[in-house]
Amino acid sequence: MTELLVTCCTKSGTDCQSITHLGGPNNGGAQWVWTKEIIIGHIERGAHQFYTFKPNTKEKAYVEVVTERTGKYLRTRANSTSTDNLLSLNSCPR
């Protein structure tokens, strides 16, 4: 399983359920940007883990899939920060 750093997040609103894309650096220097559906598939199949760094501590905060009656969405696992790490990232380039 490969771990991929997430450095950007595109969303259509202000909450975790509005995340549409995540992105980060490739080894070659380019940037990947994938839809939430692709990322959910990678996580559920165990192909990749995605993470951000917690502000100040640089501790990894892993992305997880949450399933609710309205569908699936992405968020970081609960940690000592009160905000979701994904929502504080800059928007992904288009």
Side-chain angles (χ1 to χ4, degrees), residues 43-93:
I43 293 170
E44 291 181 335
R45 285 191 314 276
H48 299 299
Q49 283 187 306
F50 299 86
Y51 68 94
T52 63
F53 285 117
K54 282 179 22 180
N56 304 325
T57 67
K58 299 300 183 194
E59 178 184 339
K60 288 181 181 179
Y62 286 94
V63 177
E64 66 182 357
V65 177
V66 177
T67 304
E68 292 191 347
R69 60 181 168 77
T70 57
K72 295 181 180 183
Y73 66 94
L74 301 167
R75 70 175 181 204
T76 50
R77 290 187 191 134
N79 56 29
S80 59
T81 181
S82 61
T83 59
D84 187 285
N85 302 58
L86 296 175
L87 298 176
S88 64
L89 297 174
N90 291 328
S91 293
C92 295

Side-chain angles (χ1 to χ4, degrees), residues 13-25:
T14 59
D15 63 2
C16 291
Q17 293 181 7
S18 69
I19 293 172
T20 60
H21 295 76
L22 296 179

